[in-house]
Amino acid sequence: MKVEIYSDIACPWCYVGKRRFERALAAYPGADSVEVVYRPYQLAPDAPTEAEPLEPVLRRKFGDRITEMNARLAEVGRQEGIAFDFASAQSVNTLLGHRLLHLAETEYGAAVQARLKNALLHDYFVDGGNVGDRDRLTRLAAAAGMDEERVAAYLASDEGAAEVREQIAEAQLMGVTAVPTFVFEGRWAVQGAQEASTFLQVLEQVAAQTAAPGGAAEGAGDDACADGSCTV
């Protein structure tokens, strides 16, 4: 079974969803036969390449409700072992990170890509790191098991940029408007950071009903990082 997870590094619910899906996968008897690939999506493709504090950016977009949103996310994060630090987080364009994840998948495999994805999310939301900084990305990639020289040369070029943008465009054509979106076998789409029990049920259903009609990804219909997903 193949599961493609469309997510953005700058999406807190994507971090929560990753944790919950991994717990479901650990409980799924057929986990060894499941291939998990992280696909790119950008909530703010026009975000600047220079980092700036995240909270003012969110406040400009969502207004005062961001305080309640962040408090709710902080509590959800604690339940999942994630120490969200929105006060330290930095907003920056995530294209470089997505290019690096593409390199990880194509040249190092799913396990390395998953480690790198976790490192990027943790750096963004817990460590207050600038995931648009090439040197920092290179260090994170090396720690995840990638060749440091290859990564540095890759990030200094435009390699992978066209492929990442194409994958994002394909996701939009599929109807993905919110992340995380989990696509099972290219046919069934589950949106949002569902509970681990829900993901486990989906894994079991997809395994048992691979001939069933496919579903379509649908947007959340709300311009906010709330209710389990972040929308554009």
Side-chain angles (χ1 to χ4, degrees):
M1 182 191 309
K2 186 171 186 177
V3 183
E4 295 169 282
I5 305 175
Y6 291 85
S7 65
D8 194 3
I9 300 160
C11 168
W13 284 111
C14 293
Y15 200 177
V16 173
K18 184 177 188 295
R19 285 287 177 91
R20 290 176 173 175
F21 180 77
E22 287 172 344
R23 282 200 286 117
L25 195 59
Y28 176 59
D32 290 345
S33 65
V34 179
E35 176 189 5
V36 180
V37 178
Y38 289 90
R39 299 298 187 199
Y41 201 88
Q42 283 195 284
L43 294 167
D46 297 327
T49 56
E50 295 295 325
E52 58 182 316
L54 176 62
E55 280 200 332
V57 174
L58 294 178
R59 195 166 296 278
R60 289 196 298 269
K61 185 174 184 180
F62 300 126
D64 290 340
R65 61 183 173 140
I66 193 59
T67 301
E68 181 180 349
M69 290 164 56
N70 283 354
R72 181 191 172 203
L73 272 162
E75 177 57 31
V76 172
R78 280 191 289 272
Q79 295 171 10
E80 299 297 333
I82 304 170
F84 282 117
D85 186 355
F86 295 106
S88 298
Q90 299 184 67
S91 173
V92 71
N93 195 291
T94 57
L95 182 62
L96 274 177
H98 285 302
R99 285 177 52 210
L100 192 56
L101 287 164
H102 175 72
L103 177 68
E105 182 217 345
T106 56
E107 295 191 10
Y108 295 88
V112 171
Q113 191 199 36
R115 285 200 298 270
L116 177 63
K117 180 72 171 184
N118 192 69
L120 291 171
L121 289 165
H122 189 276
D123 199 56
Y124 189 102
F125 286 109
V126 179
D127 291 342
N130 175 7
V131 297
D133 180 81
R134 286 173 172 81
D135 290 339
R136 192 175 187 95
L137 288 175
T138 300
R139 291 193 296 271
L140 291 173
M146 301 171 68
D147 181 78
E148 189 171 345
E149 291 186 4
R150 169 64 174 132
V151 170
Y154 177 87
L155 292 176
S157 71
D158 288 330
E159 190 178 350
E163 290 84 351
V164 167
R165 290 191 176 99
E166 182 178 351
Q167 288 183 17
I168 293 172
E170 289 174 354
Q172 292 168 337
L173 286 174
M174 285 172 53
V176 175
T177 59
V179 288
T181 292
F182 300 75
V183 179
F184 296 77
E185 288 289 276
R187 300 173 63 184
W188 293 275
V190 175
Q191 182 178 289
Q194 304 293 330
E195 295 293 337
S197 58
T198 300
F199 282 130
L200 179 58
Q201 183 180 18
V202 173
L203 286 165
E204 293 169 343
Q205 288 178 341
V206 171
Q209 302 177 7
T210 54
E218 296 180 358
D222 183 25
D223 184 22
C225 282
D227 299 326
S229 64
C230 295
T231 61
V232 293

